[in-house]
Amino acid sequence: VLPESQRNQIVKTTQRDANFEPHVLPVMVGTTVRWPNEDDIYHNVFSTSDAKEFDLGYYKKENTPEVRFDRVGRVDVHCAIHTKMHCIVLVLPNPFFAAADAQGRFVIKNVPAGTYKLRAWHERLPGQTKEIVVPAVGEVRIDFALGVGQNTKL
């Protein structure tokens, strides 16, 4: 059973300068995402993805709608008004994930000791999976190199 701090979390994807920030948002299943509009224009946030279908309608700053993501999968989100606006909500089955920083570094905390498959994901590149062993004490360092040809035979 997960601690309360990891269940029913609320995070946000902000609309600013006709963009979603962040562009990729990994969340655990059961997370609620707020969709604040910091622009002075209307947006209409929606998704037709299998993992979550929704349409928040037209709104400005005065309203901050929320969506609960209750099924694992990739959710592509768009704005019906601004066709270049797109983001991805990755709904994951457990809390053991991280988004890489600008230098490509990541940290996944509080992973119980054991053997796991760790997957690196990118929206436009082939993913990569590596088996890791997490010790009872200490940390694991692992590098991924994502790119065309990294996991495919040509």
Side-chain angles (χ1 to χ4, degrees), residues 70-140:
D70 45 14
R71 204 160 41 166
V72 171
R74 174 181 168 151
V75 180
D76 287 281
V77 180
H78 305 273
C79 176
I81 304 168
H82 308 99
T83 57
K84 292 184 180 181
M85 286 182 69
H86 169 251
C87 72
I88 299 165
V89 179
L90 285 178
V91 186
L92 303 166
N94 62 57
F96 305 115
F97 58 84
D101 66 16
Q103 289 75 40
R105 297 177 303 221
F106 65 95
V107 175
I108 303 173
K109 296 183 178 190
N110 303 316
V111 178
T115 301
Y116 300 94
K117 290 186 178 182
L118 182 62
R119 180 164 175 77
W121 178 91
H122 188 282
E123 70 176 298
R124 289 181 293 237
L125 297 172
Q128 191 176 62
T129 302
K130 293 185 178 184
E131 188 170 285
I132 61 167
V133 177
V134 176
V137 178
E139 62 183 39
V140 174

Side-chain angles (χ1 to χ4, degrees), residues 11-117:
V11 297
K12 70 178 180 176
T13 296
T14 303
Q15 297 154 81
R16 183 181 300 118
D17 299 324
N19 285 298
F20 290 109
E21 295 176 15
H23 175 68
V24 175
L25 179 66
V27 300
M28 189 172 74
V29 67
T31 298
T32 296
V33 177
R34 289 189 176 142
W35 300 89
N37 178 358
E38 294 187 1
D39 289 330
D40 291 326
I41 56 178
Y42 282 100
H43 289 295
N44 181 357
V45 178
F46 76 96
S47 176
T48 58
S49 299
D50 289 341
K52 187 68 175 184
E53 197 170 320
F54 63 92
D55 185 342
L56 301 181
Y58 296 96
Y59 67 98
K60 280 184 152 181
K61 290 182 180 181
E62 300 79 26
N63 188 17
T64 302
E66 298 180 347
V67 175
R68 180 178 166 88
F69 290 86
D70 45 14
R71 204 160 41 166
V72 171
R74 174 181 168 151
V75 180
D76 287 281
V77 180
H78 305 273
C79 176
I81 304 168
H82 308 99
T83 57
K84 292 184 180 181
M85 286 182 69
H86 169 251
C87 72
I88 299 165
V89 179
L90 285 178
V91 186
L92 303 166
N94 62 57
F96 305 115
F97 58 84
D101 66 16
Q103 289 75 40
R105 297 177 303 221
F106 65 95
V107 175
I108 303 173
K109 296 183 178 190
N110 303 316
V111 178
T115 301
Y116 300 94
K117 290 186 178 182

